[in-house]
Each structure stands twice: as structure tokens, then as C-alpha cells.
Amino acid sequence: MIPTKKIVMVPGPVPVSPSILQALGSETRAHTDPVFVADFQALLGDLRDMLHCDGIAFLVAGSGTMGMEMAVVNIASQKDRILLCSNGHFGDRYESICERRGYRMDVVKAEWGKSVTVEEVDAQLAKGGYSILIMTHVETSTGAMIQLKEIAEMVKKKYPEVLFLVDGVAAAGGAEADMRWGIDLYLTCTQKALGSVPGMMVLWANKRALEKRESMGQIPESYVDFARWIPVMVDTKQYWGTPAVNNIMALKEAMHIIKEEGYEARCKRHAEDAAMLAEAMEAIGFKVACEKPFRASTLSVFLYPQDMPVDDAAFRAAVAEEGGLIAGCLGAFAGKGFRMGHMANLDKHMLVAMAAAVERGALRCGMKVEPGAALAVVQKKLALRA
Ligand code: PMP
């Protein structure tokens, strides 16, 4: 039998467009090649513009976790007090990163599937003494998205002494963020909503964050020290560590696609896809784990129907055989549902295929699903879309 082409439907890596893969596979240039130097510089400008960053967009080889670490060690010392608001697994990862550094920190945790609210952040900051707030834009383990604009604006207005650091790994390029709202540092990696392959992280730091770094003198870290990379990001002819040349060329193409679509249109498309897939999955009995208005536009956690018990591993294996790679759940949701990424450059074919693969997988597992019920939702919505 002809094997079914597999669509990557996990919350990153994402399906990568052919032109991006072509750029990745292009001949490797020297990092000193004037063409590469100019492309790299232009890309950094595009990244800065995307989030309206008045400082620097650092583009450095390493995964999103390195970005998390790089962001915090460059602005936090033992003198600081951090407020970390965690919505799940990746918020908790920040807790462990900060613990290793021995930072003074308080942690507010949301119930799984919910989000720490603007009011809760406000109430905690009002206790005083904090200089850094850390939050995760989209929590990949639960599909919860924070009310970023409202929180950033509140912090900027009421607590101007607080630097706001946001983990945007599962959001950047798909869920809107604007540093002018009051975000001081924002980070992501290349394999999620930006649409490229794994390998690099992007960390936006505004002027306030860079000033904080400058005030700190030497920090213990070397590779991830802002002071090492600032000369390179300001002038890409400079050298600190060899840039991941091909990965940068791939991201350049990914940014070209983003610019062509338009950042706002792209964020709107992600929100529409999320709502459409939620409706489609609900039509065959799955339940969105996260409540409105905290549902992420870039990924979802779908819980199995309570009246139709299904073996989690067998279900995901069946969906994979039907052509869709979905992810298992973590923490409190482990075994109770699956995670689906819907970010970056998904076309109509992929969206239809996603819904269809889940439907066939469910049918194969004996779930009482009306064939075509999820597909009907997707087809109707996509047909109306220009
Ligand atoms: N933060 C969030 C919100 C994530 O979803 C992830 C990865 N899924 C990370 C951080 C870590 O990124 P990476 O796996 O690239 O280190």
C-alpha cells in the first residue's frame, strides 16, 4: 500500500514550506561573505520591526530553552525579585531555570487549562518589591494564551519599575505581540509559528532591558551574554560565535513569507484556524481543554470524550498511520487528550488533511464518530475564506 504522507501536527516543529527548505539547502556561504552579512543584517531589522522593538533582536543558535535562559540571566541578579506566573509545564520550566540561578522569586500558578489573569498579576505585583515579571504567552502544555496586551499595558502603567519578560516560543509569528504595549523582552525559536526549522532562538530586548544588562557589569555566562552578541547584532560583520548560516538563510525566507502575508493578517488567520479546528474537533466529540477567552490561536489541547474512553497511545498511533502526527499531553492532561499545533504556513490542504486524519484515527479506534462531521466544519469555513 502507498504510505500516507505524514503532516506534522505537533505544536512545533511545524510543516516547513518548500522555499524555506530550499534556502536551508542552499550552498553554505562564509559568515564573512558580504551577501550573507547584508542578508543577516536585514533579517535582524525585519525581526525587530515585526514586534516594534526599539532595542535589539538577538538571533543565536540554540533552542527556545536557551532563549529562556539567555533572557533572564541578562536582566536578573541576586538583587532582583522575580514574579513568575506559570500556566503549566513551560512556565514551570522557567521556575527551574531561575531556581538554579538562586534568584529571589515568587511563583503564581494557574489551574491546568486556565491562565493567570490580569487582575491576579496586578494583585501580586501590588505587594511590592518586584523588578521582573515572567510569563508564557502561549503555554504549550495546556493551550492557554495569556491576555498579553492587557497585562503588558497594566504593568507599564502601574509598575514602571518592573521589566516584563515573555516566553513567546509557541506564539511569535502567529499570536500578536507588540513590544510597545509594555513588553521588555520576548523570545521564541525558529521551529514554531515563524515557520522555519529547529536550531535558532530569537530574543527581542528593548532599550530598557539593554540598559539593565549594562548596569549589571560582568555576568557568569559567556555564550549567551548580551554583551558578547550586541556588537554582532549591531554590525553583522563582527564575530563572536559562527552564525548558523543556513538556518539564517532559511529564517530569512520564512520572514519573507510572513511579510508577504502581513503580520496582522497572519495573526488573524491563526485565530480563525484555531476557532475552526476547535469547532471541527467538537463536532466529533472532543473537548477543548482550555476555556475561552484563554484559548491559544497557535495550538490546542483536545480532551477525549468522557463517554467514549479511548487508549491514548493507540489513538495517536492510529492518527499517525492516517497521516497526522499529533502530540501527547503533559502533566495534568497526560493520557486524557492530545495536542495539536496549528501554526505557521498551513494551507487549506493541510487543514483539511488534519481534520480528516483525526477523524479516520478516531473511527479506527472504534469511537462513535460521524464520518465527515469534522471535515464538514473545515470545508464550510475554508470555502468562505478568500
Ligand atoms: N517555551 C515554550 C512555551 C515551549 O512550547 C517550548 C517548546 N515546546 C519551549 C519553551 C522550549 O523550546 P525548545 O524546545 O526549542 O527548547
Side-chain angles (χ1 to χ4, degrees), residues 204-373:
W204 291 262
N206 71 4
K207 277 192 185 139
R208 264 161 48 101
L210 297 172
E211 277 161 21
K212 177 73 191 284
R213 169 67 196 91
E214 216 181 328
S215 74
M216 285 164 62
Q218 189 161 308
I219 60 170
E221 289 76 11
S222 182
Y223 181 68
V224 296
D225 184 356
F226 281 3
R228 300 281 202 194
W229 288 107
I230 288 170
V232 183
M233 300 300 139
V234 169
D235 173 8
T236 48
K237 281 197 292 301
Q238 304 301 317
Y239 166 80
W240 163 235
T242 305
V245 172
N246 285 59
N247 225 307
I248 289 171
M249 299 316 292
L251 187 62
K252 176 180 170 257
E253 174 57 18
M255 275 306 291
H256 171 71
I257 291 173
I258 293 174
K259 284 201 301 183
E260 243 184 9
E261 181 176 14
Y263 178 62
E264 271 174 33
R266 186 176 175 90
C267 293
K268 186 166 166 275
R269 172 174 62 82
H270 277 73
E272 284 171 4
D273 285 354
M276 176 180 74
L277 290 167
E279 199 182 322
M281 293 299 110
E282 277 167 354
I284 50 172
F286 296 99
K287 188 175 171 296
V288 185
C290 192
E291 290 167 15
K292 288 179 186 166
F294 300 114
R295 288 183 185 174
S297 49
T298 47
L299 67 100
S300 302
V301 172
F302 297 114
L303 300 176
Y304 299 128
Q306 283 194 334
D307 57 347
M308 251 192 280
V310 64
D311 182 274
D312 173 44
F315 173 76
R316 284 186 285 113
V319 175
E321 275 175 32
E322 293 300 333
L325 291 173
I326 49 176
C329 283
L330 305 167
F333 292 146
K336 295 182 183 160
F338 66 93
R339 294 181 300 144
M340 180 194 278
H342 32 80
M343 53 183 131
N345 304 313
L346 300 178
D347 64 17
K348 290 182 181 180
H349 292 302
M350 290 174 187
L351 291 163
V352 169
M354 268 189 186
V358 175
E359 247 183 32
R360 290 196 302 273
L363 286 164
R364 274 182 53 178
C365 288
M367 295 173 80
K368 288 195 189 64
V369 162
E370 175 62 31

Side-chain angles (χ1 to χ4, degrees), residues 11 63-65 68 90 93 136 138 140 167 169-170 189 191-192:
S63 82
T65 307
M68 294 168 77
F90 288 98
R93 176 173 288 195
T136 312
V138 169
T140 318
D167 170 353
V169 163
C189 45
Q191 78 270 20
K192 305 255 183 188

Side-chain angles (χ1 to χ4, degrees), residues 81 83 117-133 150-165 181-184 208:
R81 182 163 205 95
L83 172 61
T117 62
V118 188
E119 293 74 24
E120 285 164 337
V121 177
D122 190 0
Q124 192 62 35
L125 288 177
K127 292 180 182 168
Y130 295 108
S131 45
I132 294 166
L133 167 67
E150 290 78 2
I151 294 171
E153 286 176 348
M154 180 275 292
V155 174
K156 187 176 180 180
K157 190 164 154 231
K158 293 182 74 173
Y159 308 98
E161 70 284 7
V162 172
L163 286 178
F164 187 21
L165 188 176
W181 295 339
I183 302 164
D184 297 293
R208 264 161 48 101

